[in-house]
Each structure stands twice: as C-alpha cells, then as structure tokens.
Amino acid sequence: MKVAVVGSGVMGLGIAQAFAQENGYEVTLCVVSGKGFDKKRELFEMPLKRQLAKGKITQERFDEITGKVTITGIEGCADCDLIIESAVENLQAKMKLLRQIEDIAKPDALVASNTSSLSITEISGELTRPIIGMHFFNPAAVMKLIEVIPGMTTTPEMVEQVKDIATDIDKVPVEVIE
C-alpha cells in the first residue's frame, strides 16, 4: 500500500516512520511549506540513527526503513492509496490543505486527518469526498493507540479500513465519537 503523510513536522515524521517500519507499505512524506527535502530526510533518519547507535536496529534494518520513504512536495500524494494530513492543529490550515489533497488525490484514495481536537465533520465541510480522523499519539512510531474518528460523511467502510490498517501496522485502533 502506498501511504502519503502530508505534513513533515514531528507528527508527520513519526507517522511516516510508523508505516515505513512495517511490511507492505511504501511511504511518501509530503513537505507542505518550502522545500527542505534534505533537512526533512535528516530529521526522519535521526531517531533511527539513535536506534542504530544503541544496537536496537541493524544497518540492514535502517536501510530497509529509510529506503521505503520518498520525500516530495504535496504532488507526491497523487498516486497514494491512503493520504494522512498531518498539518498544524488549525482548522483553516487543515481545510486548505485537504482541499489541495482533494484536487490531487486519486478518486479511490482514503483520506484521513491526524487531528486531536478539531471536528472531522467541520474539517470536511467544504470537501466533496468524505474523510476520517486517524489520530496518532506522539511519538507516533512508538505509541500503540490510534483514535479512529468518523465524521458525518465518513462511511462505515472507511472506519473498518482504518481500523484494519491500524492493526496491520501494529497499533490499537479505538473508535471515538465526535
């Protein structure tokens, strides 16, 4: 499965790692503002380098995880199956970014927002496709819990898909009512 994480701050980097360290996932980390792709690569690799230095992962495992991540601009999400928006926790910013994603994403892509406090229904208000909340906890690569948050337009199939994906990446999905 091709997964795009749109937003490359602390949470976005952690979500990208959570997927990249599991089998069956290729990850596109989409940098939203500016370019800075080399800097984002360094930031993505930093916790893995610490694990490598401590002997918690091998060089082969490090290379495997980092090799599954491509860093691009937002256009990189165009061919992905799952797109997780992970921008700043600001309603206007998330709505603007999700409108951009909606224009780029393939029609059958599952679109999720990593939000902890904003209403999925409100975020999706101006969108033509349904979205779902997929809230990771920090540090996303380590913490097991994922809140699965359906909005008014979220389908039951989307909820089940996100729960299955969460379980597949060794997380514990918990459905939350908004």
Side-chain angles (χ1 to χ4, degrees):
M1 174 181 270
K2 285 192 82 172
V3 176
V5 180
V6 182
S8 54
V10 171
M11 288 306 295
L13 292 166
I15 294 168
Q17 183 183 338
F19 280 98
Q21 64 193 17
E22 299 300 328
N23 291 327
Y25 294 93
E26 293 296 321
V27 180
T28 301
L29 181 61
C30 300
V31 178
V32 176
S33 57
K35 294 196 176 18
F37 298 156
D38 291 338
K39 180 66 175 168
K40 292 301 180 177
R41 170 71 60 188
E42 287 175 30
L43 291 171
F44 176 78
E45 291 179 356
M46 194 179 319
L48 295 167
K49 285 181 178 177
R50 282 194 299 266
Q51 290 179 21
L52 182 62
K54 292 178 181 179
K56 293 184 177 186
I57 60 171
T58 63
Q59 182 66 50
E60 179 181 66
R61 181 72 174 133
F62 174 88
D63 294 342
E64 176 188 342
I65 294 168
T66 58
K68 291 168 65 176
V69 176
T70 303
I71 300 177
T72 70
I74 192 169
E75 71 282 352
C77 72
D79 66 338
C80 292
D81 306 302
L82 170 63
I83 302 168
I84 303 170
E85 168 276 315
S86 183
V88 64
E89 199 71 2
N90 173 284
L91 180 62
Q92 302 312 322
K94 285 186 180 290
M95 290 170 70
K96 179 180 177 187
L97 189 55
L98 284 161
R99 281 192 298 275
Q100 288 179 286
I101 290 168
E102 188 170 54
D103 290 342
I104 298 169
K106 60 186 186 177
D108 62 341
L110 178 61
V111 179
S113 177
N114 178 53
T115 183
S116 60
S117 63
L118 300 173
S119 163
I120 295 300
T121 298
E122 190 171 358
I123 293 171
S124 66
E126 296 178 22
L127 302 175
T128 58
R129 76 164 71 211
I131 65 167
I132 188 167
M134 189 173 188
H135 176 233
F136 288 75
F137 288 79
N138 193 22
V142 177
M143 298 297 284
K144 293 287 189 187
L145 188 66
I146 292 180
E147 291 178 324
V148 179
I149 313 157
M152 292 297 283
T153 63
T154 306
T155 67
E157 294 79 21
M158 291 172 71
V159 172
E160 291 310 309
Q161 269 186 291
V162 168
K163 285 180 180 179
D164 290 345
I165 291 166
T167 301
D168 195 46
I169 63 168
D170 199 29
K171 302 291 184 187
V172 178
V174 176
E175 188 173 343
V176 179
I177 307 300
E178 52 169 15

